Amino acid sequence: MAMHVRRPIFFVLALIPALVLRAHEGMWLPSMLAAIQDSMQAEGLHLTAEDIYSMNRGSLKDAVMIFGGGCTAEVVSDQGLVLTNHHCGFSAIQRHSTVDHDHLRNGFWAMDRSQELLTPGLTVTFIVRMVDVTERILGDLDAEVPEQERAVAVEERSAAIAEEAKGGGAYGAVVRAFDHGLQFILIVSRTYRDVRLVGAPPGAIGKFGGDTDNWMWPRHTGDFSVFRIYAGPGNLPADAAPENVPYHPGHVLPISMKGVREGDFAMIFGFPGRTQRYLPSAGMEQVMEVTDPVRIAMRRSSLAVIDEAMRGSDRSRIMYASKQSGISNGYKKWIGELRGLRELHALERRKSDEERFRKRATAAGREDLVAVLDSLRTLYDRSAPYALARDLFIEIYYYGPDIMRFAEQFRDLVENGRQMELEGRSEAEIARLRERARGHFEATDPDVDRRILAAVLPYYLAQITPELRAPVLSAVQDRSKEDIEAFVNDLYDRSWLTSPERLRKLLARPVRSIVRELDKDPAYLLSTGTLDRYRGSAAERYALLSGSIDVAMRKELKGAMELFPDSVFWPDANGTLRLSYGHIEGSMPRDGVDYLPFTTLAGIMDKRVPGDPEFDVPDRLVRLYQEKDLGPYGVNGSMPVCFTASLHTTGGNSGSPVLNGDGELIGINFDRTWESTMSDIRFDPAKCRNISVDIRYVLFIIDKLCGAGHLVDEMQLVHDTSDGPRLIPLPIHR
């Protein structure tokens, strides 16, 4: 069934004139590259679709990987050397930092393999192959089968296909749904578990501009870090161990030293997280009127506390660096997203699109499709209170005070402690909790945590629907801020879980005493009560309604493909491998504003403010600039730093390689302009630009500033292309 839907899409793509695709919207699946190959080549690509993605030989895909939990990275040497963003490696850098060894501030460089730092838990995942399995999953399913029966069949068949592809554990495998379940693709992967920190620039380089410049252009941030993948025997994944050796990749990205010019072809290959191109007007209203404003308000409150604490001491700065970065990034992004959607009149345009859909469906006698539009509006209205509860829960539980998640760690002991004691398991559990407590208090200042809760709780209580509120919070609902502060102070003063000394004493008691005390502990009750009420009253209903919305969206999207056969449909991003392409170019996002596509080291010196935590730079960088000691990386006495391109990107593309038409690395993607943050929902080719750090600046920092030129020696630098494209396929170790 779904195959009949997808084939017309590819046929339409093959007929699209190059002029139409120059809007550059789209995150193309590898299976779609053959259909757009001619258009890409007309704009400057010198490779074939097979050079980019191949299951039979080394290709660009074998140099690109998922880094950690949600970034992209690329292999730049045959010894497994990896580049990604500084902010993608930030938590690893933070983990290895102390006040005495402040790698966040001073940077870190391993001068030989023995100095590379093991980073437990950090992984990279390569894609082995992606195969359309839609026919295997949906081929014999009746189009009118009840949705619940369809879902069960899809789940069972997907699990069986994935299990078959794992090869007895040699690979990871999952079947992912696209277009709300119109298409299914098997993704086979291999995950490496020994990834070591090799280098990170000083924070004044990797985070230059800080929150002030985040999402902004012009930009001058050297947002990169360096890691190395290690493998076991046979080049296969292995647990981190001293005997592991550097990984030998199936493909290495050559590095272009030729630079980039305005108008040059560019493409990005990576793992974009989530877009909502087909979001209906009712969903867009929810984003603009509820979701984004809630998240912005909650994060503004917590950031005020965290920023003040980080300014107060180096210990707090290191402790909260990663948390602050994550909270701030979303906060500023959503502000820009709201602004961009309003400036584009995105809601009005979506309603206009839906009206055209309605008219064409009516003319075609498709009342079922008209009904889908109406049902989407109803479903979003019904889901509104649960969507709000979900947003509030995420912000207070995952991005609010750390006590919320820490206290939950004790649930198993509280609920099953007596049974654990009878079975002789209680000592092991208490030892585990002592270790968790050690990590928690190393990463959390109880006083800062207290102030974060006092800052976000008033907004949470003001917004949450009464029946979805945890009973433990009833005592402070509708009271003044002073009473909320008193509630918070009393909680932190009385709880066993908010003081390392008190908790140490508690965990030295007999199990029954521990359970008795925790069962009435105010922090434990707040954490578990908030979580349980969300799960019991909101999460399940939200999931059910979201499932119904997904079904309606599938019907609407399938109908749109049938009613508008000349339109281009690409699946929304969902964390899977995608390619976007465009050109190196600036933009004119607002009246009187004309952004050039390049920045240089001169701009860093213009922005430099000695002593400013966001805009100071190392003295050595100033000397290199003044003496024009740029090595082979500068151009006519100037050092390129960043550039913009019309590449369609989103979260997850952080760290992605930006490549020229020969498949050579020209930059590392790390951001979008603030005027582009609405592109997850509405892409505007005139405004939307991604921001990359120029690879020549990366090499300059590694070599000239930080003295780690031995890493550059590992890389394959390309100075000209007189003999054609420089693809470097290597044997693939399966």
Side-chain angles (χ1 to χ4, degrees):
M1 179 182 71
M3 291 298 288
H4 294 305
V5 174
R6 301 303 304 184
R7 281 175 184 157
I9 299 173
F10 289 106
F11 179 71
V12 170
L13 283 170
L15 296 179
I16 291 174
L19 282 175
V20 176
L21 285 180
R22 283 187 182 138
H24 300 144
E25 177 181 4
M27 298 178 176
W28 307 100
L29 285 162
S31 57
M32 305 176 84
L33 296 181
I36 62 172
Q37 174 182 290
D38 290 348
S39 295
M40 295 173 70
Q41 290 176 340
E43 297 200 33
L45 176 68
H46 302 142
L47 309 178
T48 66
E50 183 76 3
D51 292 327
I52 298 171
Y53 172 85
S54 176
M55 292 190 295
N56 303 311
R57 61 178 176 83
S59 59
L60 293 184
K61 79 154 171 59
D62 298 301
V64 181
M65 72 213 78
I66 300 172
F67 182 88
C71 282
T72 303
E74 50 275 357
V75 182
V76 292
S77 89
D78 62 3
Q79 295 297 303
L81 199 66
V82 167
L83 294 178
T84 189
N85 285 156
H86 183 268
H87 74 259
C88 292
F90 198 77
S91 61
I93 302 166
Q94 179 189 33
R95 196 182 316 169
H96 292 297
S97 294
T98 64
V99 173
D100 294 331
H101 299 282
D102 193 346
H103 302 321
L104 288 176
R105 169 172 285 172
N106 303 322
F108 166 81
W109 295 95
M111 292 305 166
D112 57 48
R113 302 277 169 82
S114 68
Q115 295 179 5
E116 295 174 357
L117 299 178
L118 286 166
T119 309
L122 181 59
T123 64
V124 296
T125 299
F126 291 92
I127 301 302
V128 176
R129 64 182 183 274
M130 298 174 69
V131 182
D132 191 311
V133 292
T134 308
E135 191 65 29
R136 290 183 64 183
I137 290 177
L138 299 181
D140 62 351
L141 279 180
D142 191 305
E144 303 303 320
V145 68
E147 183 59 34
Q148 186 173 2
E149 185 178 332
R150 181 189 192 273
V152 170
V154 165
E155 183 177 355
E156 290 177 348
R157 295 176 186 190
S158 296
I161 291 170
E163 189 61 34
E164 173 188 298
K166 289 179 180 178
Y171 304 104
V174 65
V175 173
R176 298 293 296 273
F178 295 78
D179 289 335
H180 302 277
L182 289 177
Q183 183 184 26
F184 294 87
I185 293 179
L186 168 68
I187 302 173
V188 182
S189 61
R190 178 162 273 163
T191 297
Y192 286 80
R193 304 183 297 278
D194 190 345
V195 182
R196 305 182 192 181
L197 176 63
V198 174
I205 302 295
K207 283 181 67 68
F208 181 81
D211 288 339
T212 300
D213 272 7
N214 190 26
W215 298 105
M216 306 303 286
W217 184 259
R219 197 70 173 274
H220 300 83
T221 311
D223 197 345
F224 76 94
S225 55
V226 188
F227 291 79
R228 193 184 304 277
I229 308 167
Y230 281 76
N235 206 40
L236 296 174
D239 291 335
E243 61 269 21
N244 290 343
V245 298
Y247 166 71
H248 293 290
H251 182 80
V252 172
L253 293 182
I255 293 177
S256 173
M257 295 293 287
K258 305 182 299 294
V260 294
R261 296 170 299 178
E262 189 168 8
D264 281 356
F265 175 87
M267 59 185 176
I268 187 169
F269 212 17
F271 297 86
R274 182 171 182 254
T275 57
Q276 296 177 283
R277 185 196 189 200
Y278 308 105
L279 187 68
S281 60
M284 198 176 293
E285 286 175 357
Q286 194 172 91
V287 167
M288 296 177 69
E289 297 173 7
V290 180
T291 300
D292 279 0
V294 162
R295 295 187 293 193
I296 290 167
M298 294 280 279
R299 295 196 178 196
R300 181 185 295 119
S301 299
S302 60
L303 280 172
V305 174
I306 294 171
D307 288 345
E308 180 183 12
M310 290 179 67
R311 289 191 295 267
S313 73
D314 284 342
R315 180 175 178 272
S316 293
R317 176 180 54 79
I318 294 171
M319 183 181 289
Y320 282 96
S322 183
K323 184 183 181 82
Q324 191 276 348
S325 181
I327 293 174
S328 177
N329 191 59
Y331 166 72
K332 194 167 184 179
K333 186 257 188 183
W334 294 318
I335 293 174
E337 181 175 78
L338 275 180
R339 174 178 173 170
L341 290 173
R342 288 167 181 157
E343 287 180 350
L344 285 178
H345 305 288
L347 180 58
E348 293 80 1
R349 292 167 69 180
R350 175 60 74 203
K351 288 180 177 179
S352 178
D353 292 341
E354 290 173 349
E355 188 57 31
R356 285 195 298 273
F357 180 98
R358 185 183 297 273
K359 287 179 179 178
R360 191 166 291 195
T362 300
R366 295 294 304 275
E367 293 302 319
D368 58 318
L369 296 180
V370 174
V372 166
L373 286 182
D374 296 333
S375 69
L376 280 168
R377 169 66 60 178
T378 300
L379 287 167
Y380 270 102
D381 288 345
R382 289 174 56 195
S383 72
Y386 309 115
L388 173 61
R390 178 178 181 271
D391 293 330
L392 290 168
F393 172 76
I394 289 172
E395 291 305 318
I396 198 169
Y397 195 85
Y398 291 105
Y399 293 97
D402 291 335
I403 189 63
M404 299 294 284
R405 296 174 309 287
F406 178 57
E408 172 66 16
Q409 299 290 322
F410 293 81
R411 184 191 290 264
D412 196 22
L413 180 67
V414 172
E415 295 182 350
N416 303 299
R418 291 182 175 84
Q419 187 64 31
M420 288 181 179
E421 191 174 28
L422 290 173
E423 296 173 359
R425 296 186 291 118
S426 58
E427 288 187 11
E429 176 64 10
I430 290 172
R432 183 187 74 85
L433 291 172
R434 286 195 183 101
E435 183 62 23
R436 290 294 179 92
R438 183 190 63 79
H440 170 74
F441 288 111
E442 284 181 355
T444 303
D445 182 325
D447 183 61
V448 175
D449 210 51
R450 177 199 305 249
R451 286 185 281 139
I452 292 173
L453 180 58
V456 299
L457 189 56
Y459 192 86
Y460 177 89
L461 291 172
Q463 295 291 320
I464 191 72
T465 305
E467 59 268 23
L468 301 179
R469 184 182 67 236
V472 68
L473 293 173
S474 297
V476 293
Q477 179 68 5
D478 298 326
R479 291 187 181 180
S480 67
K481 182 180 179 183
E482 287 74 23
D483 284 329
I484 291 175
E485 288 183 345
F487 168 82
V488 170
N489 287 333
D490 178 68
L491 182 150
Y492 277 80
D493 290 344
R494 290 195 298 115
S495 174
W496 292 96
L497 303 176
T498 55
S499 162
E501 294 79 14
R502 285 199 299 271
L503 183 55
R504 193 179 303 114
K505 292 178 180 178
L506 176 66
L507 293 180
R509 290 186 178 187
V511 173
R512 294 190 180 187
S513 177
I514 297 173
V515 170
R516 183 170 59 251
E517 292 297 329
L518 287 179
D519 200 29
K520 60 184 179 183
D521 184 89
Y524 178 79
L525 293 175
L526 174 66
S527 171
T528 57
T530 302
L531 178 61
D532 291 348
R533 178 50 61 99
Y534 169 69
R535 286 175 172 170
S537 300
E540 185 175 347
R541 297 180 207 179
Y542 177 80
L544 287 172
L545 288 165
S546 295
S548 297
I549 289 172
D550 201 48
V551 172
M553 285 295 299
R554 185 199 315 145
K555 293 177 181 177
E556 184 196 31
L557 185 54
K558 184 173 183 293
M561 294 173 180
E562 295 168 356
L563 295 174
F564 300 91
D566 294 330
S567 296
V568 180
F569 297 89
W570 53 269
D572 267 319
N574 59 356
T576 56
L577 185 61
R578 306 292 181 98
L579 181 140
S580 299
Y581 70 99
H583 295 102
I584 307 298
E585 54 185 316
S587 63
M588 297 181 65
R590 295 188 301 280
D591 183 50
V593 176
D594 189 355
Y595 287 151
L596 299 177
F598 305 109
T599 59
T600 69
L601 187 54
I604 292 179
M605 297 305 150
D606 288 341
K607 288 182 176 180
R608 178 182 176 234
V609 180
D612 187 291
E614 291 188 322
F615 290 101
D616 200 359
V617 293
D619 291 340
R620 176 168 172 76
L621 184 65
V622 178
R623 289 196 301 273
L624 290 170
Y625 169 74
Q626 292 173 341
E627 297 169 4
K628 295 191 181 299
D629 186 4
L630 308 178
Y633 313 109
V635 181
N636 298 324
S638 178
M639 184 68 246
V641 174
C642 294
F643 62 84
T644 60
S646 53
L647 304 178
H648 195 176
T649 63
T650 188
N653 275 127
S654 289
S656 294
V658 179
L659 308 163
N660 62 19
D662 295 323
E664 299 161 351
L665 186 65
I666 57 175
I668 306 172
N669 177 77
F670 69 91
D671 210 350
R672 286 172 280 174
T673 61
W674 204 42
E675 295 84 0
S676 307
T677 52
M678 76 297 182
S679 63
D680 292 348
I681 297 173
R682 196 93 190 191
F683 184 89
D684 181 1
K687 289 186 176 185
C688 292
R689 299 291 181 267
N690 70 303
I691 305 174
S692 304
V693 56
D694 193 300
I695 194 61
R696 292 168 296 176
Y697 184 61
V698 172
L699 300 182
F700 167 75
I701 294 298
I702 293 174
D703 184 5
K704 299 294 293 182
L705 180 70
C706 299
H710 63 286
L711 298 176
V712 178
D713 292 340
E714 285 190 40
M715 306 176 196
Q716 295 168 312
L717 309 186
V718 179
H719 294 272
D720 64 69
T721 54
S722 57
D723 56 348
R726 298 291 185 92
L727 275 179
I728 307 175
L730 297 171
I732 298 178
H733 298 270
R734 295 298 186 211

